[in-house]
Amino acid sequence: MIETSVVLLRGLQYGAAVVLLGTPLFLLYGYSPGRGVAGPTGARRLIAGAALAVALFSLAGLVAQTAVMAGSLAEALKPASLGFMIGDTALGMAFVSRAAAALIVLILFSLVPSGRVLWGLAALGGLVVVASFAWTGHGASTEGPGRLIHLGADIVHAVAAALWLGALAGFALLLARPRAPAPTHRALRDFAGVGTLAVALLVATGLINSGYLIGPERLGSLFTSLYGQLLLLKLALFAAMIAIAAGNRWRLTPALGAALAAGGDTAPALARLRRSVLVEAAVGAAILLVVSLMGTLAPPAAL
């Protein structure tokens, strides 16, 4: 039961963290006053809610992880157990740092008006939150000269995922109540470069991480170990996301552009884009859940 809670809390932290970093970044490069790309009010609520969720789920995750190490929830709630986890392990410090960064972002939302300054500050806080996951994952367990390379690849991998998935949250806001089809089309079209960058970073850092966690000599374990099977599932879901994103870029977005150019009804094109973005986001959420489970398993290289 406690182990299941660890996985679920990890997944909830991942989901909130990608919004906390990726959505403010989307607003920075895709939103400007007058373009109607995303309503600041809806974005403000979404990002603030993500910050609150990160803080709460991180603290709950700290308790759950302490319970796994201490043997029971009752032991985990003792000050001595929590104190040891926070003060003597990088894992505990990562949980606390994550929660603190999210709370700082939440405080900023009560002090700073919506706009580029707030989005930039939120993105900085989100960067701290996302980077902290490297110290609660397999990257932190690597020793020797490759430690910094693996840790760095883990951080870049997480940031690239947030860049993509957080943008999907921004597009969901945008497509829920589009103020004008033309700015919506422009935002979708302009995301092509950012999306390509995210995919390239995910592939490159994924290969680096796999080299440390599996290695070419253990490729057979992809089919025989639970970790390997989950990795294959993750790759299949990732390929599905790329296919959906390609459909958005090469078919649905041009269809919206054609409707705009012809002066016709854009509602059907917007509805198709809305459904596609929601499906893409759902597949992304499934990937985060798979990654959450993989984080609790020993990779083949550690066996």
Side-chain angles (χ1 to χ4, degrees), residues 228-255:
Q229 292 162 1
L230 288 172
L231 178 57
L232 292 175
L233 175 59
K234 176 190 173 184
L235 292 175
L237 292 171
F238 178 62
M241 281 194 72
I242 292 177
I244 296 169
N248 292 342
R249 176 177 178 179
W250 300 112
R251 185 170 60 88
L252 299 183
T253 299

Side-chain angles (χ1 to χ4, degrees), residues 8 19 52 57 63 78 102 115 139 173 214 220 222 250 253 272 281 287:
L8 291 177
V19 172
L52 178 61
F57 293 138
V63 173
K78 292 181 178 180
L173 276 181
I214 298 174
L222 289 175
W250 300 112
T253 299
R272 287 191 292 271
I287 289 178

